Structures are given as C-alpha cells and as structure tokens.
Amino acid sequence: NFTSSIVSSDYNNSSKLFLGDAKHGLVVGENRGFHIEFLEIISPNGPAGINIGEIASGKNSILLTHGGKTQPWNNLENYQEISFFNNNSWSQSNKLIQLNIYDAISVSSGFNENQFFVGTWNNGLLEFFKDSLINHYTAENTNGQIETIAGTEISRIGGIDVDKDDVLWLTNSQAEKPLVRFDNVNWESFSVPGLSTNVMSGKIMCATNGQKWIQLRNDGVLVFREIKDGVDSRKIGVQNGLASNTVNCFAEDNDGSIWVGTSQG
C-alpha cells in the first residue's frame, strides 16, 4: 500500500526509487523499465504488527500477541508472529505462519525466566522460550485434556494465568471441560458448573485468595475455587450489581479487591 515515493539523487545512473508503504516502511526499488525490482525494505526495529491481542511481561522481556476476535468472538484469522521486546530491541517468532496457527490472543509469563505461554483461538497452547517456539500443546499431546470443539479440530484458549502456587490455568472455550490445569508436568481438565459448551470463555485471572475469575461472552464473569472433587463456581452478572454482562477486563488491586471493566463502566 504505497503512499508516497521519491527518486534517488543519482536516478539517471541507478534507476533507484524510494517508496513509502503503509505497512512495511521504506521500500527501495529499481526501475527496470517494464517492472520495479524490489531491493530492500528499510524499517525501524519494531513488533511484528500494529494489532495487539495481549501483552505480558517477564523478568527481562515483554511479549505481544497480534491475534484477535470479532465482536461476536469469531476468528479474525490474523496470521502474525509473536513479538518480543528485550534489551531495547524487538524480535519475533518464526513458526506460527508456517504451522497455520493464527489469532494468538492470550498470553502469560511461565514458570521460569524467559518462558511464556500463548493461547490461540484456533489451535491450542504455545510455549516459548525467549522468542523460540518449543512446544505446541493440543489434544494429542495433553492426553485429551485440551479438548477441541465438538465436531471440529479447533481448540480455543481464551485466557491463561499462573496462580500463587505456580500452576498454569487455561480457559478452553466451548469444550466439555472448559478449565485446564497444568503444573509443568501434569495436565488436568475440569467441568465447571454454570459453564456449558454454548458459552464462550475468555480471559482468566488467578487472585491472591485462590479464586479464579473467568470472562464470559455477554454473560458476566464466573468465579471458581478448587474443592476436593473438582471446582465450585458462582456466576456474577447484572443481577449481582455488574453494570453490564459484557465484561472486557478485570484486575486485582493491592488490597485484594477485584475491579471489573464492562461495556458500561
């Protein structure tokens, strides 16, 4: 998408053109008469794209995903790599497009330094060390604990967070067991009272009191805690005082209070 251009000062000898592109930065080309030969793309060091799914910070680096969802939580089909910022420089992964993985949305730092987990809205969970993809978790290599949506090969990981006991929790949207637990060795999935397969689940937050908060599509939030034989849960919506059932985000403050951002404040 070229927006501007200029010829080089020695154009009569070099035939070089400098083309401004809305996505790729400055493109250097050479006029060959019947076509332009592209020679080089010059752009500042930066992330893989301008769309931001989620951001997570580790001890030494920051990770950005670039996938997304439509308003009704369908796929945007955004094929972009993961961006990493470390030591004042950007790098990016190089496997997602090749593996046909798109809409990487949720992200969390992991158990160790330079470890990150990324949830995709089509193809399970990704594990990164620095900017390298080292594991791709699906139903096949988790003993079926990361389930696919019935009748499809799609597994949607809408939220990831690590609790105070260093356990990773995932939301597995529209699965029979939509809550997944990973302690860096073992996988376990749970049925959640009040969370059926026709309700989409998104972000998850592990609070310091042991509760886990789950964002639901147009249905408020679900709060659960582990019990001996599974999980106990409670749904919170407009009937409990939320301004809207469309929840965009939540956070815990230093006093342990949970703040919920909705479409109505």
Side-chain angles (χ1 to χ4, degrees):
N1 184 13
F2 295 119
T3 59
S4 59
S5 64
I6 193 172
V7 298
S8 64
S9 58
D10 65 341
Y11 177 77
N12 289 335
N13 295 320
S14 68
S15 300
K16 278 189 179 179
L17 301 164
F18 296 93
L19 307 170
D21 181 80
K23 181 177 180 181
H24 296 289
L26 182 65
V27 179
V28 183
E30 182 180 344
N31 185 359
R32 296 289 181 87
F34 293 100
H35 72 280
I36 294 176
E37 183 78 18
F38 294 108
L39 306 177
E40 183 182 4
I41 293 178
I42 302 172
S43 61
N45 180 248
I50 61 174
N51 300 312
I52 304 299
E54 276 197 355
I55 303 174
S57 60
K59 291 183 178 179
N60 299 312
S61 57
I62 296 174
L63 181 149
L64 278 70
T65 64
H66 300 286
K69 298 175 288 189
T70 65
Q71 188 173 5
W73 286 30
N74 293 320
N75 283 94
L76 276 178
E77 298 190 5
N78 191 332
Y79 288 85
Q80 281 187 311
E81 298 290 338
I82 308 298
S83 298
F84 300 84
F85 185 68
N86 191 11
N87 293 328
N88 297 316
S89 181
W90 289 95
S91 62
Q92 57 184 269
S93 57
N94 59 6
K95 295 288 188 181
L96 271 64
I97 296 175
Q98 174 187 337
L99 295 172
N100 197 38
I101 297 173
Y102 54 87
D103 287 337
I105 53 172
S106 52
V107 59
S108 172
S109 57
F111 310 107
N112 307 306
E113 188 176 336
N114 298 316
Q115 182 188 36
F116 290 93
F117 289 92
V118 172
T120 74
W121 203 236
N122 80 312
N123 209 328
L125 180 71
L126 312 175
E127 180 185 353
F128 287 88
F129 181 75
K130 295 186 177 179
D131 58 2
S132 298
L133 177 64
I134 60 173
N135 283 306
H136 179 198
Y137 298 109
T138 62
E140 294 179 358
N141 58 3
T142 61
N143 245 359
Q145 299 304 298
I146 293 181
E147 300 177 48
T148 58
I149 300 172
T152 76
E153 296 181 355
I154 296 172
S155 53
R156 288 175 163 171
I157 308 302
I160 314 171
D161 199 11
V162 178
D163 69 14
K164 57 185 177 60
D165 298 319
D166 269 348
V167 175
L168 190 76
W169 292 88
L170 321 173
T171 60
N172 190 8
S173 187
Q174 298 160 274
E176 293 290 339
K177 294 184 177 181
L179 181 64
V180 183
R181 182 185 191 275
F182 179 50
D183 62 8
N184 210 19
V185 177
N186 301 306
W187 294 89
E188 187 177 6
S189 57
F190 300 89
S191 299
V192 181
L195 188 52
S196 63
T197 56
N198 62 352
V199 176
M200 290 187 179
S201 53
K203 299 174 182 178
I204 185 171
M205 179 184 67
C206 299
T208 54
N209 64 359
Q211 293 177 346
K212 279 76 176 176
W213 291 60
I214 296 176
Q215 171 199 32
L216 305 178
R217 177 184 173 269
N218 296 332
D219 206 16
V221 296
L222 194 74
V223 184
F224 74 90
R225 59 185 176 90
E226 289 183 86
I227 56 176
K228 184 177 180 180
D229 299 322
V231 296
D232 183 29
S233 65
R234 177 187 177 189
K235 189 177 290 186
I236 300 175
V238 292
Q239 69 275 14
N240 308 106
L242 276 188
S244 166
N245 277 337
T246 302
V247 172
N248 299 319
C249 57
F250 31 56
E252 181 180 8
D253 67 17
N254 292 333
D255 297 322
S257 296
I258 307 298
W259 295 76
V260 182
T262 77
S263 62
Q264 297 296 317

